[in-house]
Amino acid sequence: MAYQSTNPYDGKVVKSFDEINDAELEGKLKTASACFDKDWRTRSFADRAAIVKRAAALMRERSQALAELITLEMGKLIQQSVGEVALSAAILDYYAEHAEQFLAPEKLTTPKGEAMVESSPIGVLFGVEPWNYPYYQIARFAAPNLMAGNVVMVKHASSVPQCALAFEQLMTDAGAPAGAYTNLFVSKDQVAKIIDDPRIRAVALTGSEAAGAVVAAQAGKQLKKSTMELGGSDAFIVLEDADLDKAVKHAVSGRMGNSGQACTASKRFIVVEPLADSFLKKFQAALENFKPGDPMDKQTTLAPLSSAEALKKLVEQVDGAVAGGARVLMGGQRIEGQTGAFMQPTILTDISNSNPAYKEEFFGPVALFFKVADEDAAVALANDSPFGLGGSVFTQDIERGKRVARKIDTGMVFINSGAVSSPELPFGGVKNSGYGRELSGAGIQEFVNKKLIRVS
Ligand code: NAP
């Protein structure tokens, strides 16, 4: 598993990094464990907050350079990379400011004596993270857990090693002691060893179902708690009373943001009959405006996918959908004449429930379109998925929107917008999209010991 920066815009390898050996890994585990026991867990919230807040400030100071690393390594449009840096800094600030309140001791009402529940840190946590939002994913894991008094070790995706190092450097420069935040360039065999190590108390993974199943099984075997933030195929329901132009605008950003490579991207567009044809026409017209180019150039509207392999996989999925009877309304192929991993914005229609595409996640700018008769059919189709991450409902009747939202089997539903992520909103899914929550007050409760203290 080589850690390598490859620019997806031109396919050139920029930098490679060696994996650490087992002796180096042991040294890092020792340092992290000692840091937890002798230092980090003993610090006050104020002490930890000062460091985490400093990291947020440094992120903002270094915003342009950090954003350029994202774009270089995974191809995101530069202004979206700048946005990701800002969001990551906001997450760090959010936990620095709210952790103490989230974890405040809770006095229990008891007939006799005194009882309280205190939240104490559990130790060294291990995070396995994906490349699609290289800082945001780490901030979601590191900020709450560092503030809770845990220390974290992170195995980032092998395609974003410079982002991984830049984040670690940020924490060091902010004053985090050695071992509070540790980046690990490790192999998959070493991942298994790390999970088995008794010093590791819990595991968090964000990534595919396949990786989640492997890592969750390894953690389960050792009776270690885990959280899994996995894939999704979010439904984007447009009811007959929706504001059509608003729905189309959000459909475009929901499918095309990050070149479609988001777990909570809008992926299945389910439109109720009276609006279906006009929605589709406007959606297609809007997707035709995207122009491929250098993602470092602010004028570019269509970024490459993260890698040549990601593009190959997506084209194969589209081919599979077509073989299964789907119709390509637009796109469907790689963009020729570009060295980068560019995919044409694509709309597939006529997808039957026996088509493999019906249940798959399309991680790129490929929209699956479904026309349905009414609200009930829309909800039934939305729920007929192995995933349960997010989803959207468009209607001008907000109470109706809430009623529909309650019927959708996902961890998040957005009324009149595509998915949004913000520090105060819990993030996570059900079914094959995983379990556990990140962000918000919920995200800091996953890896703490809710300890009862009882006085008789
Ligand atoms: P991936 O292949 O699962 O990679 C994610 C991380 O897991 C990487 O660090 C990867 O390391 C590691 N990994 C993969 N297989 C592993 C194994 N057998 N043992 C240990 N570690 C392993 O995910 P991806 O395809 O790059 O990312 C896209 C997926 O992530 C999509 O399904 C997307 O929906 C999901 N995602 C979910 C969320 C969420 O919050 N729910 C957020 C973002 C993305 P290497 O890079 O070294 O292989």
Side-chain angles (χ1 to χ4, degrees), residues 77-91:
L77 293 178
I78 187 67
Q79 60 275 38
Q80 291 181 14
S81 298
V82 170
E84 183 185 331
V85 173
L87 176 56
S88 308
I91 293 168

Side-chain angles (χ1 to χ4, degrees), residues 1 3 128-132 137 140 155-159 188 191 205-208 211 214-215 229-232 262-263 267 361 363 389 427 433:
M1 203 197 311
Y3 286 76
V128 180
E129 301 296 333
W131 48 265
N132 64 341
Q137 302 289 0
R140 268 184 1 177
K155 181 248 173 286
H156 213 328
S158 46
S159 55
K188 288 188 173 106
V191 165
L205 177 136
T206 298
S208 60
V214 170
V215 167
E229 298 284 355
L230 310 177
C263 50
K267 292 174 184 142
E361 176 184 34
F363 216 58
L389 192 55
F427 194 108
S433 294

Side-chain angles (χ1 to χ4, degrees), residues 146-313:
L146 286 172
M147 282 308 304
N150 295 309
V151 302
V152 299
M153 306 189 89
V154 175
K155 181 248 173 286
H156 213 328
S158 46
S159 55
V160 287
Q162 296 198 67
C163 289
L165 289 173
F167 196 92
E168 185 184 48
Q169 189 62 48
L170 197 76
M171 296 309 303
T172 305
D173 294 348
Y181 181 97
T182 309
N183 176 64
L184 295 172
F185 288 154
V186 284
S187 69
K188 288 188 173 106
D189 287 346
Q190 286 172 315
V191 165
K193 274 195 195 139
I194 294 166
I195 296 171
D196 283 354
D197 192 289
R199 288 165 290 193
I200 296 290
R201 298 308 318 145
V203 182
L205 177 136
T206 298
S208 60
E209 283 170 282
V214 170
V215 167
Q218 287 163 348
K221 210 167 151 209
Q222 298 297 333
L223 300 177
K224 290 180 184 175
K225 185 174 176 186
S226 62
T227 55
M228 292 289 139
E229 298 284 355
L230 310 177
S233 187
D234 288 5
F236 184 103
I237 296 176
V238 183
L239 297 173
E240 71 285 353
D241 64 349
D243 173 338
L244 181 62
D245 288 332
K246 185 173 182 178
V248 171
K249 182 173 148 252
H250 284 272
V252 172
S253 55
R255 184 57 288 195
M256 298 303 292
N258 214 30
S259 263
Q261 303 163 111
C263 50
T264 50
S266 307
K267 292 174 184 142
R268 295 178 296 141
F269 296 84
I270 302 171
V271 187
V272 170
E273 199 102 46
L275 287 189
D277 294 340
S278 35
F279 174 91
L280 192 54
K281 224 181 248 159
K282 287 183 178 219
F283 187 37
Q284 179 176 0
L287 294 192
E288 272 160 3
N289 286 329
F290 281 80
K291 298 273 176 296
D294 183 349
M296 289 287 183
D297 179 347
K298 283 188 181 154
Q299 305 309 316
T300 300
T301 52
L302 182 65
L305 296 187
S306 64
S307 66
E309 301 79 68
L311 174 62
K312 182 169 171 278
K313 185 180 164 206

